[in-house]
């Protein structure tokens, strides 16, 4: 194993941003992906090595990641790409990091925990805005109230998404939302859970979503009742209600492929001005059986800007042999205060217990 690292999916919106920021920081990842023209062009511009391969042939994947210390996997949709890459990483004893926020991906990788531990490597999904801020807020709340039995998380400030995120969200729509209730993952209809919040004098109408923490927070904190909420505009709510009877069609491959291609052509992701000026807020609340409550409010960079910074911070830590082995969440790998190591992150409000 060397100290080199591979950035797979460097041709995507987020992968390219990470590659450019890495080079500006003096880091030299090897770029990789299946889109030869884009990968080659970016690598030549940034004066980096590159490799072209897809994830269809396990032996080819293993050959291309062999000898690296870690892979930062940025190629979505993660529900189809994460397992082949993670399996190759385990086989070659290469640490695996990714940017997923999808519950099925966390579940699948958690199921590989024993294999990763035996191989002595780290499986660390969700090192971007999905799920570093929410995971660290959850862990910090558990640290403040060890008897907590329920957890609510919410975030605002992610109003623009990348093509990859939009495609992944579209694929998950027909399966409804999720919450954790008494330790079990429970499917619930979209828009069935609502939370009204006032943050710094501004009111928000938030709805439950199947964010990754619905699965991971129980691992990070032991809390067995978890919900995650985010802001959904009135227009989006109306559209969701109108489309609800037709969402089952997204389970059909040809229909999903056409709509994903359409989204990919229409969505470009937030521009530099948005990434630099928008601030995200992450709110969390835990309750104990006796009724005691703790609340935290975190302010951090816009989601994609945060993802660039947090993923590179995680890469540096793992290259420095931090994070442990086996399946880990960000807070389990680096501690709840990892969030404060990302520039621009600060606690905006801390309750004293109610």
């Amino acid at each position: 194993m060397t100290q080199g690292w591979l950035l797979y999916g460097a041709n995507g919106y987020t992968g390219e941003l990470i590659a450019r920021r890495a080079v500006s920081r003096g880091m030299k990842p090897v770029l990789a992906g299946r889109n030869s023209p884009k990968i080659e062009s970016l690598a030549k511009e940034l004066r980096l090595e590159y490799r072209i391969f897809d994830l269809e042939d396990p032996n080819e994947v293993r050959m291309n990641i062999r000898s690296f210390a870690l892979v930062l996997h940025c190629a979505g949709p993660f529900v189809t790409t994460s397992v082949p890459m993670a399996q190759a990483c385990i086989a070659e004893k290469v640490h695996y990091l990714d940017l997923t926020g999808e519950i099925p991906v966390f579940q699948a990788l958690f199921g590989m925990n024993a294999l990763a531990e035996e191989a002595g490597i780290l499986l660390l999904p969700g090192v971007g805005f999905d799920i570093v801020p929410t995971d660290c807020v959850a862990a910090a709340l558990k640290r403040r109230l060890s008897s907590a039995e329920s957890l609510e998380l919410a975030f605002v400030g992610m109003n623009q998404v990348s093509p990859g995120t939009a495609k992944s969200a579209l694929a998950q729509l027909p399966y409804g939302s999720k919450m954790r209730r008494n330790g079990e993952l429970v499917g619930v209809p979209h828009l069935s859970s609502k939370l009204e919040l006032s943050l710094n004098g501004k009111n928000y109408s938030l709805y439950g979503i199947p964010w990754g923490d619905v699965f991971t927070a129980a691992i990070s904190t032991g809390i067995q009742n978890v919900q995650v909420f985010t802001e959904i505009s009135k227009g989006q709510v109306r559209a969701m209600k109108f489309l609800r009877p037709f969402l089952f069609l997204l389970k059909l491959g040809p229909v999903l492929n056409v709509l994903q291609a359409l989204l990919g052509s229409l969505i470009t992701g937030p521009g530099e001005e948005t990434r630099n000026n928008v601030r995200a807020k992450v709110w969390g609340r835990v309750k104990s059986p006796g009724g005691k409550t703790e609340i935290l409010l975190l302010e951090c960079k816009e989601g994609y800007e945060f993802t660039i910074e947090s993923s590179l911070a995680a890469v540096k830590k793992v290259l420095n042999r931090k994070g442990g082995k086996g399946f880990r969440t960000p807070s389990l790998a680096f501690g709840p205060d990892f969030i404060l190591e990302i520039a621009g992150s600060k606690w905006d409000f801390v309750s004293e217990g109610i």
Side-chain angles (χ1 to χ4, degrees), residues 10 15 64 100 223 270 273 301 351:
N64 276 284
T100 193
I223 297 173
E273 182 178 356
K301 293 185 174 185
S351 75

Side-chain angles (χ1 to χ4, degrees), residues 24-45:
S24 74
R25 301 279 172 80
M27 304 173 76
K28 293 187 176 297
V30 173
L31 306 186
R34 64 182 182 180
N35 189 317
S36 180
K38 289 186 177 181
I39 293 292
E40 183 176 358
S41 175
L42 182 63
K44 287 183 176 180
E45 178 190 346

Side-chain angles (χ1 to χ4, degrees), residues 55 64 67 72 85 130 136 150 172 174 194 197 216 239 271 320:
L55 304 176
N64 276 284
S67 82
L72 176 60
M85 181 60 83
D130 308 13
C136 288
S150 67
Q172 296 301 306
K194 189 174 182 181
L197 270 186
T216 59
N320 287 324

Side-chain angles (χ1 to χ4, degrees), residues 296-314:
L296 291 177
L297 179 61
L298 173 83
E299 182 179 301
C300 64
K301 293 185 174 185
E302 181 273 340
Y304 290 93
E305 184 65 22
F306 181 94
T307 293
I308 299 168
E309 295 291 335
S310 64
S311 62
L312 291 177

Side-chain angles (χ1 to χ4, degrees), residues 106-231:
F106 288 112
Q107 289 176 302
L109 295 177
F110 182 68
M112 300 181 190
N113 176 59
L115 292 174
E117 286 190 341
E118 184 178 352
I121 64 108
L122 177 66
L123 293 179
L124 181 57
V127 296
F129 191 86
D130 308 13
I131 58 172
V132 171
T134 41
D135 185 58
C136 288
V137 167
L141 282 165
K142 177 65 173 181
R143 184 170 59 186
R144 292 173 62 85
L145 185 60
S146 60
S147 60
E149 67 171 5
S150 67
L151 166 68
E152 295 168 297
L153 295 165
F155 61 92
V156 297
M158 277 286 286
N159 297 326
Q160 295 186 44
V161 299
S162 70
T165 299
K167 291 176 183 179
S168 294
L170 189 68
Q172 296 301 306
L173 272 180
Y175 302 98
S177 190
K178 292 284 190 297
M179 62 184 295
R180 189 180 285 275
R181 183 186 298 151
N182 297 326
E184 300 295 325
L185 291 182
V186 178
V188 294
H190 290 297
L191 308 177
S192 60
S193 299
K194 189 174 182 181
L195 178 67
E196 300 287 347
L197 270 186
S198 178
L199 303 177
N200 300 130
K202 184 176 180 180
N203 297 324
Y204 295 91
S205 292
L206 310 174
Y207 292 87
I209 58 170
W211 198 250
D213 298 83
V214 172
F215 178 77
T216 59
I219 299 169
S220 299
T221 68
I223 297 173
Q224 298 299 308
N225 295 281
V226 182
Q227 279 191 283
V228 184
F229 302 83
T230 195
E231 184 179 20

Side-chain angles (χ1 to χ4, degrees), residues 70-74 78 82 85-86 89-90 94-101 105-106 108-110 112-113 116-117 121-128 130-132 135-136 216 219-220 310-319 321-335 338:
L70 68 83
V71 169
L72 176 60
H73 183 58
C74 302
F78 293 102
S82 60
M85 181 60 83
C89 285
I90 291 172
V94 175
H95 298 300
Y96 171 93
L97 288 70
D98 75 26
L99 306 180
T100 193
V105 177
F106 288 112
L109 295 177
F110 182 68
M112 300 181 190
N113 176 59
E117 286 190 341
I121 64 108
L122 177 66
L123 293 179
L124 181 57
V127 296
D130 308 13
I131 58 172
V132 171
D135 185 58
C136 288
T216 59
I219 299 169
S220 299
S310 64
S311 62
L312 291 177
V315 165
K316 286 184 177 180
K317 283 183 174 292
V318 177
L319 290 178
R321 303 182 183 278
K322 296 180 181 178
K325 62 181 180 179
F327 178 94
R328 293 288 186 273
T329 65
S331 68
L332 287 179
F334 309 130
F338 176 55

